[in-house]
Amino acid sequence: MPGTDHAGIATQNVVEKQIAKDGLRRQDLGREKFVERVWQWKEQYGSTIIMQLKKLGSSCDWDRTRFTMDEGYSGSVADVFKRLYDKGLIYRGDYIINWCPRCQTALSDEEAPHHELQGHLYYIKYPLKEDANQFVTVATTRPETMLGDTAVAVNPKDKRYKKLLGKTLILPLVEREIKIIADSMVDMAFGTGAVKVTPAHDPNDYALGKKHKLEFVNVMRPDARMNENAGDYRDMDRFEAREVILEDLKEKKLLVKEDPHNLSAGHCYRCHTIIEPYLSKQWFVKMKPLAKPAIEAVKKGRIKFYPDRWTKVYLNWMENIQDWCISRQIWWGHRLPVYYCKKCEEVTVSLTGPEKCPACGSVDMAQDEDVLDTWFSSWLWPFATFKDEKDLKYFYPTSALVTAQEIIFFWVARMIMAGIEFQKEIPFRDVYIHGTVRDDTGKKMSKSLGNIIDPLEIIKEFGADALRFSIISITAVGQDVFLSKQKFEFGRNFANKIWNASRFIISNLKAENMKADLCASYDAHNMSLADKWILSRFYQALESVEKSLENYRFNEAALGIYEFFWHEFCDWYIELSKAEINEPHTQLILYKVLEKSLRVLHPFMPFITEEIWHSLSPETIMTQPWPHVQKQMINKKIDGQMQAIIDVITAVRNIRAAWNIDPKARINILVKAPKDTAQHLNANSGYIKALVKAQDLKTGDNIVKPPRSAVAIVKDTQVYVPLEALIDLEKEKGRISKKIEETNSTINGIGQRLKNKEFLKKAPKDIVEGEKKRKAELAETLRLLEANLKDIA
């Protein structure tokens, strides 16, 4: 169900910057013309993300693409507003909200994340009215808001101020009389224990103001410039006013001191401006009644988070949920379905717009100028996207939501609440929270840092399948992804391997060997050891992939099919099959394993698997069934027998490499092993001879090591390769002896360094550890060289 939201504040900001290049503000265009410009921008750029998703191979029903400002969707948004309003869950009131002076709109708590800042704590003297020589010193981080103070508060248990309770202070610079009040909210350990109370500019002070019936004095305009209540500081920016106020306080000897102080300040999530706690008339949703059933749904396991640690985060937020400020003072978005009578001020919520006031009959009605928070439309996505009941019944609820941790509160929690409230059913069963994409130094990728990797550029250079498989492979459940351009080589190399292996198989397949009746009649009795082994390994890999997918361990699933296809199917079975490539049973197994592997790979790498599939079938791979595990084909005994053969082949290959044996030379091999293993190796000697170019293979439990032979030991099996006819033994003795001498010298040099106290003291820890590791590796090399020299002595 593809689509996009209208991203109210973000999109409006982009278009405002665009028209600013022409010297225009949105107010110059007016609401209607400005919204037209936003729609034009949306038509030009709004489909970018859809195009990127298509390029990435996302399998969506593109004919159903929706947009949150579509007419039908907008109707659902208005309907939900009215239903909540009629239920008493939406209300309007004057409250302290997060205000962005740059965007000039209210923000919810989730849209104003807090960041640590290095600020100051300013200590200011407030004179007593009855004696100007006596003062109460208050501590504040925002001296510009003192112009709106209407009280000073102390804790009733604070003995320092007991005699001053109820006394009157003179507010510096403004000369307004304010009272000293007592409230247990005040922290006696903060500053001086006396705090200024500014009900119109701080959420805690707002609560104190309501409780103690204080005056609410707003000293700022929406753009964070000081207003007429700020007196001489009128028209100054808030931070400019701060500096001037501090200078004036110094001049009047009322600024006691300023101490460095770390503080946490909210920032607009879009433009990153420091928000201003601001008294404003806004619309809110009562969240606690909606949250209760959504909490129960998670506690009872009807909805599960992956990884599970996010369950606690979700529940903690939901159990402490605050009312949601949903009105925004911008023009792009769903306008509130609220109408005001200009004559009697009656408020009417209507889906169509009333012709007259239901209270007084006046036709002089005006719609609210505000629009709804973008998330007020997005939280309806699981069901508002469907245009008819049949589709809704079929697709709702869905199975899983895959999303990012930073929108658990914005979107996930709210979708759960909306689904239960309006559909009486949860919207999804599983929530998979993926990690954050970071660069290879650990920094979060962002446009502002200039460290992003453009997926379209990666697709152009490496291919979409390489991008997909690389990212899936390095993304462990719940862990952040450390990404660099080089990481995509992994996926590209695997795609090349799939392509080359498939081309080899398909070019050798004969149509008569793929007939349905032949496939149906073929059973285990006709299979070779390698045939049985590769099928056993495939179904074990399939079983593992399925288990990983069920638990959202996508990287384990990807690596599972990767290991099977590359290191078992390609490295071993295809190589073994080359000697019998024209045999019907070999062709059939190659075909079966390839086509089943393609079906397993398709969700990871859709483009290359679709392309190869068309060489096997005229149909699309997308509609093919997922392979089912045939447990009767899984055989651990067969696996063990084949592994013994692979171990011997690997050991002989290592001997050839270690002794620089001519690749064309035919060798003799002797294998000493337990009786059962020896018989099994002898019965399947053809595999070993073919892959290591051996002219003779002897096996048994009483084999004696020939003189001057290379030796490899694998578990309970010893492999001997006589060297006399293959290499110049005297020359090889000299080479090994020289190598032993050089290795000993290097080990001694490292040993001296590691005994040097100055080196250990000054060298970085990782350098010291690296030297220790290198010494250990060289010691192992020395052991092998000495063993080789002994073998040919």
Side-chain angles (χ1 to χ4, degrees):
M1 195 58 227
T4 53
D5 67 36
H6 59 281
I9 295 173
T11 304
Q12 177 155 319
N13 280 346
V14 169
V15 178
E16 285 196 65
K17 287 177 183 175
Q18 195 179 67
I19 64 173
K21 293 175 183 177
D22 300 325
L24 295 171
R25 299 176 308 133
R26 62 181 164 113
Q27 290 83 357
D28 298 326
L29 293 178
R31 184 171 196 140
E32 191 176 331
K33 291 287 184 186
F34 177 76
V35 171
E36 282 179 15
R37 288 290 288 265
V38 181
W39 273 109
Q40 289 170 13
W41 183 91
K42 185 265 175 187
E43 293 305 316
Q44 187 174 356
Y45 299 105
S47 60
T48 300
I49 192 168
I50 298 295
M51 182 267 288
Q52 289 177 335
L53 287 170
K54 288 180 178 179
K55 287 276 188 184
L56 283 165
S58 293
S59 183
C60 301
D61 187 346
W62 300 110
D63 291 337
R64 292 177 178 273
T65 302
R66 299 299 303 274
F67 179 53
T68 50
M69 292 282 282
D70 287 346
E71 188 176 345
Y73 198 106
S74 297
S76 297
V77 173
D79 179 63
V80 161
F81 184 98
K82 188 173 188 311
R83 286 166 68 178
L84 290 174
Y85 180 80
D86 291 344
K87 200 173 179 178
L89 293 179
I90 283 184
Y91 64 95
R92 189 188 190 211
D94 289 299
Y95 294 92
I96 289 283
I97 46 89
N98 301 301
W99 182 266
C100 175
R102 156 64 184 81
C103 301
Q104 291 204 28
T105 183
L107 300 170
S108 67
D109 290 341
E110 294 73 37
E111 293 169 320
H114 281 243
H115 302 296
E116 292 296 317
L117 298 176
Q118 177 60 57
H120 289 88
L121 195 58
Y122 302 96
Y123 291 79
I124 303 167
K125 293 195 291 190
Y126 284 36
L128 275 167
K129 180 184 178 183
E130 63 187 41
D131 183 355
N133 293 317
Q134 287 191 54
F135 306 89
V136 171
T137 301
V138 302
T140 180
T141 58
R142 298 163 64 218
E144 66 278 8
T145 63
M146 69 179 287
L147 307 177
D149 288 359
T150 54
V152 165
V154 297
N155 194 295
K157 295 179 181 178
D158 198 329
K159 294 176 182 178
R160 293 172 293 178
Y161 300 106
K162 209 143 198 169
K163 292 180 181 179
L164 295 175
L165 290 178
K167 301 240 181 226
T168 301
L169 298 169
I170 301 299
L171 179 62
L173 308 178
V174 180
E175 304 300 314
R176 183 165 60 242
E177 293 185 4
I178 58 176
K179 291 282 187 184
I180 301 174
I181 62 172
D183 198 284
S184 57
M185 272 180 66
V186 178
D187 180 1
M188 291 186 284
F190 178 78
T192 63
V195 296
K196 58 192 278 307
V197 182
T198 321
H201 290 278
D202 183 90
N204 292 325
D205 293 2
Y206 174 86
L208 282 172
K210 285 287 186 184
K211 182 178 177 181
H212 295 275
K213 296 183 172 54
L214 300 175
E215 184 183 0
F216 285 68
V217 179
N218 188 344
V219 295
M220 287 185 204
R221 292 199 291 261
D223 61 357
R225 303 186 83 80
M226 310 308 283
N227 65 17
E228 62 280 359
N229 293 327
D232 294 340
Y233 309 98
R234 180 176 179 171
D235 296 330
M236 292 184 190
D237 172 76
R238 56 181 166 162
F239 299 124
E240 179 192 355
R242 176 183 296 181
E243 297 307 315
V244 177
I245 285 168
L246 290 171
E247 284 300 318
D248 289 349
L249 289 169
K250 281 180 190 175
E251 191 179 308
K252 294 177 182 291
K253 296 186 171 28
L254 295 174
L255 183 62
V256 179
K257 63 176 179 174
E258 52 184 83
D259 291 341
H261 180 72
N262 289 328
L263 54 92
S264 181
H267 289 66
C268 175
Y269 78 119
R270 284 301 180 187
C271 70
H272 311 297
T273 301
I274 294 177
I275 64 101
E276 190 64 39
Y278 196 68
L279 183 64
S280 177
K281 194 180 288 292
Q282 301 290 340
W283 288 88
F284 298 84
V285 179
K286 291 180 183 176
M287 299 304 287
K288 288 196 183 296
L290 298 173
K292 190 176 179 182
I295 290 169
E296 287 301 306
V298 171
K299 281 186 172 180
K300 290 181 177 177
R302 292 168 60 210
I303 296 175
K304 292 182 179 178
F305 280 83
Y306 296 84
D308 183 61
R309 68 175 182 271
W310 293 110
T311 304
K312 187 177 179 182
V313 175
Y314 167 89
L315 291 173
N316 182 59
W317 184 75
M318 291 289 276
E319 286 164 353
N320 296 281
I321 199 165
Q322 301 298 309
D323 286 357
W324 175 15
C325 177
I326 56 170
S327 46
R328 299 289 179 270
Q329 289 64 51
I330 57 175
W331 289 348
W332 174 243
H334 298 102
R335 201 161 166 186
L336 273 68
V338 178
Y339 300 84
Y340 305 101
C341 175
K342 291 184 177 180
K343 184 177 180 182
C344 72
E345 299 184 354
E346 174 75 7
V347 177
T348 304
V349 173
S350 171
L351 300 181
T352 55
E355 293 181 3
K356 60 183 180 180
C357 174
C360 72
S362 172
V363 294
D364 195 4
M365 305 284 288
Q367 187 174 358
D368 197 303
E369 293 287 328
D370 291 353
V371 301
L372 288 160
D373 177 9
T374 298
W375 297 104
F376 192 87
S377 53
S378 297
W379 75 326
L380 313 178
W381 188 265
F383 56 88
T385 42
F386 299 107
K387 296 175 182 177
D388 60 62
E389 285 297 318
K390 185 181 176 184
D391 278 353
L392 178 62
K393 190 175 179 181
Y394 183 83
F395 288 106
Y396 187 95
T398 188
S399 54
L401 173 73
V402 180
T403 191
Q405 63 187 63
E406 55 263 34
I407 55 175
I408 290 174
F409 313 135
F410 282 125
W411 198 37
V412 181
R414 289 170 180 165
M415 279 195 288
I416 295 170
M417 288 186 274
I420 295 172
E421 173 68 17
F422 301 110
Q423 298 300 318
K424 310 305 177 191
E425 178 60 279
I426 58 172
F428 32 74
R429 294 187 300 275
D430 295 339
V431 180
Y432 175 79
I433 305 295
H434 58 69
T436 300
V437 181
R438 301 183 181 278
D439 64 19
D440 52 2
T441 68
K443 292 191 182 78
K444 183 178 178 179
M445 283 196 176
S446 70
K447 290 178 183 176
S448 59
L449 290 176
N451 63 345
I452 62 166
I453 294 176
D454 186 339
L456 297 184
E457 287 182 12
I458 297 300
I459 289 170
K460 189 175 181 181
E461 185 174 350
F462 296 92
D465 288 327
L467 182 152
R468 291 167 64 101
F469 197 81
S470 299
I471 288 183
I472 293 167
S473 299
I474 61 173
T475 308
V477 60
Q479 301 299 310
D480 289 351
V481 184
F482 294 84
L483 201 58
S484 65
K485 210 171 181 182
Q486 291 70 35
K487 298 278 178 75
F488 298 105
E489 292 174 3
F490 176 75
R492 180 181 62 188
N493 293 344
F494 187 41
N496 288 341
K497 190 72 173 179
I498 295 168
W499 182 261
N500 291 333
S502 301
R503 189 172 60 177
F504 169 78
I505 293 168
I506 292 166
S507 67
N508 283 284
L509 289 180
K510 295 176 182 176
E512 61 267 24
N513 293 330
M514 304 302 115
K515 290 176 182 176
D517 56 343
L518 182 62
C519 293
S521 64
Y522 198 75
D523 59 36
H525 298 294
N526 306 100
M527 295 185 199
S528 66
L529 174 70
D531 295 341
K532 294 173 185 176
W533 171 76
I534 197 62
L535 290 174
S536 175
R537 296 303 300 148
F538 170 76
Y539 287 117
Q540 286 175 72
L542 177 59
E543 197 170 44
S544 174
V545 168
E546 286 183 353
K547 188 176 180 181
S548 296
L549 290 175
E550 284 167 8
N551 290 286
Y552 297 96
R553 298 186 179 278
F554 300 113
N555 65 315
E556 292 178 10
L559 294 173
I561 188 62
Y562 169 88
E563 286 294 326
F564 166 78
F565 193 89
W566 191 312
H567 296 303
E568 293 179 325
F569 186 48
C570 293
D571 285 356
W572 292 106
Y573 185 77
I574 290 178
E575 289 305 308
L576 290 167
S577 74
K578 288 178 180 177
E580 300 178 324
I581 194 69
N582 293 316
E583 294 296 323
H585 75 90
T586 303
Q587 293 218 341
L588 186 59
I589 298 298
L590 284 168
Y591 167 76
K592 282 291 184 185
V593 175
L594 175 62
E595 68 91 11
K596 289 175 187 292
S597 296
L598 290 173
R599 284 189 273 158
V600 176
L601 282 163
H602 182 68
F604 301 94
M605 307 175 84
F607 294 104
I608 192 169
T609 50
E610 180 74 33
E611 183 69 22
I612 296 167
W613 187 264
H614 283 296
S615 297
L616 302 173
S617 170
E619 299 176 359
T620 176
I621 194 173
M622 289 188 286
T623 56
Q624 301 306 309
W626 179 263
H628 65 277
V629 176
Q630 296 185 38
K631 288 187 179 289
Q632 77 278 8
M633 300 300 292
I634 297 175
N635 190 320
K636 297 292 184 180
K637 184 179 178 182
I638 293 289
D639 294 347
Q641 290 175 343
M642 193 67 199
Q643 191 59 50
I645 294 168
I646 290 171
D647 289 344
V648 170
I649 292 170
T650 303
V652 175
R653 283 175 171 173
N654 289 340
I655 287 171
R656 294 193 74 125
W659 290 94
N660 297 317
I661 297 171
D662 184 346
K664 295 177 184 175
R666 292 278 171 180
I667 61 174
N668 295 318
I669 306 168
L670 296 93
V671 178
K672 182 181 180 182
K675 192 172 182 180
D676 288 349
T677 304
Q679 288 175 349
H680 159 67
L681 292 172
N682 191 56
N684 293 280
S685 61
Y687 292 140
I688 301 171
K689 288 179 180 179
L691 264 61
V692 297
K693 290 188 177 175
Q695 60 186 5
D696 188 41
L697 171 67
K698 287 188 173 66
T699 66
D701 59 352
N702 57 358
I703 294 285
V704 178
K705 176 188 175 240
R708 297 184 170 183
S709 295
V711 182
I713 300 173
V714 185
K715 299 168 189 168
D716 57 0
T717 301
Q718 295 177 42
V719 181
Y720 309 125
V721 176
L723 296 171
E724 209 152 6
L726 298 170
I727 59 173
D728 185 330
L729 292 175
E730 293 304 314
K731 185 178 178 181
E732 193 62 20
K733 281 182 190 177
R735 184 187 73 81
I736 294 173
S737 297
K738 186 179 180 183
K739 192 72 178 171
I740 288 172
E741 189 180 327
E742 290 171 353
T743 305
N744 264 320
S745 176
T746 306
I747 289 172
N748 290 333
I750 295 172
Q752 290 299 318
R753 265 198 302 282
L754 291 173
K755 288 178 183 176
N756 187 320
K757 291 180 180 178
E758 282 298 307
F759 171 76
L760 294 174
K761 185 179 177 182
K762 293 179 179 178
K765 188 178 178 182
D766 60 327
I767 297 293
V768 175
E769 290 302 316
E771 288 290 86
K772 288 179 180 177
K773 184 180 178 183
R774 185 162 169 251
K775 185 183 176 186
E777 289 170 350
L778 286 168
E780 176 61 17
T781 301
L782 183 64
R783 186 189 68 77
L784 293 172
L785 287 168
E786 290 173 340
N788 286 351
L789 187 60
K790 186 180 178 183
D791 287 340
I792 59 173

